């Protein structure tokens, strides 16, 4: 096995300009359902993360918190804000975050576009369109990796066994 980087894009959020500061934008009702489905899906997949890092922006923090409702106390304790995820986050920062993991460790990052798709592209060469509330999984080998999964919110909802509106 190898280290794995899991990337969850924040779920559907309020439109731009709806709050005085962009960082304050919160999830919509649909976004809350997407985040809950992502958490349930990860729980059903029995994935355990050594760390869960999320952007301090409200929509990403809220996505992480709602997703974590389906996780164990131990898994919830592995969560913390990572200021670098607020914007301009790239593969070198992702690899830096993964550096402290065990040989088969898993890291979940909850952040924003275009950063998360850029991380996937820089590490794997794959061009992806990571939907709001979507998940990408990269198996890491040295300075690069392999894209092993790309799941839209609809697919996460199917895994979770919960209804979520179309992407």
């Amino acid at each position: 096995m190898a280290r794995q980087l899991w990337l969850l894009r924040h779920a559907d959020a309020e439109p731009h300009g709806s709050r005085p500061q962009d960082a304050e934008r919160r999830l919509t009702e649909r976004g809350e359902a997407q985040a809950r489905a992502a958490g349930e899906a990860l729980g059903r997949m029995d994935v355990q993360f050594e760390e869960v890092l999320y952007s301090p922006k409200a929509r990403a923090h809220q996505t992480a918190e709602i997703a974590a409702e389906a996780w164990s106390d131990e898994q919830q304790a592995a969560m913390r804000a990572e200021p670098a995820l607020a914007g301009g986050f790239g593969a070198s920062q992702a690899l830096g975050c993964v550096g402290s993991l065990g040989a088969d460790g898993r890291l979940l990052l909850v952040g924003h576009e275009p950063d998360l798709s850029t991380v996937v592209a820089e590490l794997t060469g794959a061009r992806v369109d990571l939907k709001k509330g979507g998940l990408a999984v990269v198996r890491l080998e040295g300075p690069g990796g392999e894209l092993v999964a790309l799941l839209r919110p609809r697919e996460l909802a199917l895994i979770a066994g919960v209804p979520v509106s179309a992407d």
Side-chain angles (χ1 to χ4, degrees):
M1 197 133 147
R3 290 181 179 152
Q4 295 178 2
L5 179 62
W6 295 59
L7 305 128
L8 177 63
R9 183 177 176 188
H10 71 77
D12 191 57
E14 297 169 325
H16 291 278
S18 60
R19 301 270 176 173
Q21 304 253 341
D22 179 70
E24 297 172 353
R25 289 193 302 128
R26 300 188 51 79
L27 297 182
T28 62
E29 199 173 301
R30 177 180 184 218
E32 290 177 8
Q34 289 172 331
R36 198 161 283 108
E40 289 286 337
L42 290 169
R44 283 193 175 199
M45 288 187 270
D46 198 28
V47 179
Q48 297 297 309
F49 299 105
E50 286 188 30
E51 283 191 286
V52 177
L53 307 178
Y54 54 85
S55 161
K57 291 184 179 181
R59 57 195 178 273
H61 183 183
Q62 196 178 6
T63 297
E65 291 290 330
I66 292 172
E69 291 172 0
W71 304 344
S72 69
D73 291 343
E74 179 183 349
Q75 195 66 89
Q76 290 177 18
M79 296 174 57
R80 69 176 170 85
E82 173 53 58
L85 281 165
F89 192 83
S92 61
Q93 289 100 328
L95 290 173
C97 292
V98 171
S100 64
L101 300 181
D104 295 332
R106 291 183 185 96
L107 170 67
L108 174 64
L109 301 177
V110 183
H112 310 275
E113 282 296 286
D115 294 350
L116 297 182
S117 290
T118 299
V119 168
V120 171
E122 289 174 352
L123 292 175
T124 70
R127 237 178 98 192
V128 300
D129 178 17
L130 192 55
K131 302 290 185 190
K132 290 179 184 172
L135 179 74
V137 183
V138 176
R139 187 173 60 83
L140 297 169
E141 294 178 15
E146 172 187 15
L147 179 64
V148 293
L150 182 62
L151 301 168
R152 296 172 298 168
R154 170 182 291 260
E155 293 153 343
L156 290 169
L158 288 170
I159 293 167
V162 298
V164 170
S165 59
D167 303 335

